[in-house]
């Protein structure tokens, strides 16, 4: 754990730099090729479980999910797991930036819309 990068997590930009440095001949684009795979896997997962959310139909409900991915040597994204209670530990510099921003944006998309005058 943490042998190659802090908390075994990289930003997309860090991963792109790694690929550019260690696999320059592949010319792989994280934004152009990997992100569409990840988005597709997330969308398929959300659609597959859609009927199981909010079984009591409570208005204003939302949830933050944590999607964990791995990338194989052929640059294929694999969805490892989805957490309905993801770890929000600020265990490295990137997560210390990402998690507060993600939570702020989640609240803007949900609470700020539900209570616009309180924002």
């Amino acid at each position: 754990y943490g042998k190659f990068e802090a908390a075994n997590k990289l930003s997309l930009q860090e991963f792109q730099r790694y690929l550019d440095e260690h696999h320059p001949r592949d010319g792989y684009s994280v934004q152009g090729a990997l992100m569409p795979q990840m988005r597709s896997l997330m969308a398929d997962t959300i659609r597959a479980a859609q009927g199981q959310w909010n079984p009591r139909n409570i208005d204003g409900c939302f949830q933050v999910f944590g999607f964990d991915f791995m990338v194989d040597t052929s640059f294929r994204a694999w969805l490892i797991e989805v957490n309905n209670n993801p770890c929000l530990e600020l265990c490295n510099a990137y997560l210390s930036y990402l998690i507060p921003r993600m939570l702020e944006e989640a609240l803007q998309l949900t609470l700020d819309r539900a209570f616009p005058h309180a924002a």
Side-chain angles (χ1 to χ4, degrees):
Y1 181 80
K3 181 177 178 182
F4 300 104
E5 62 276 336
N8 286 9
K9 293 169 182 62
L10 292 172
S11 70
L12 296 174
Q13 292 171 330
E14 290 169 327
F15 188 47
Q16 184 66 62
R17 280 193 298 274
Y18 171 85
L19 292 175
D20 292 345
E21 183 179 325
H22 293 91
H23 301 276
R25 286 191 225 147
D26 294 319
Y28 192 77
S29 168
V30 171
Q31 285 294 333
L34 182 62
M35 284 304 299
Q37 290 181 62
M38 294 170 71
R39 284 187 186 107
S40 178
L41 289 166
M42 288 188 286
D44 289 347
T45 302
I46 297 295
R47 279 192 293 273
Q50 188 170 357
Q52 299 176 29
W53 301 336
N54 196 10
R56 296 182 298 176
N57 294 318
I58 300 170
D59 288 338
C61 287
F62 72 95
Q63 187 167 356
V64 174
F65 292 98
F67 287 79
D68 294 346
F69 293 92
M70 289 183 72
V71 180
D72 67 19
T73 57
S74 299
F75 304 113
R76 180 175 174 187
W78 292 89
L79 178 60
I80 303 302
E81 66 179 353
V82 181
N83 299 291
N84 65 355
N85 186 17
C87 177
L88 301 177
E89 181 181 359
L90 307 179
C91 56
N92 68 18
Y94 177 61
L95 293 180
S96 293
Y97 158 78
L98 180 68
I99 290 172
R101 181 175 172 205
M102 179 273 303
L103 291 173
E104 177 67 26
E105 289 177 8
L107 295 174
Q108 287 173 354
L109 290 169
T110 55
L111 293 178
D112 288 358
R113 289 182 181 179
F115 304 100
H117 299 295

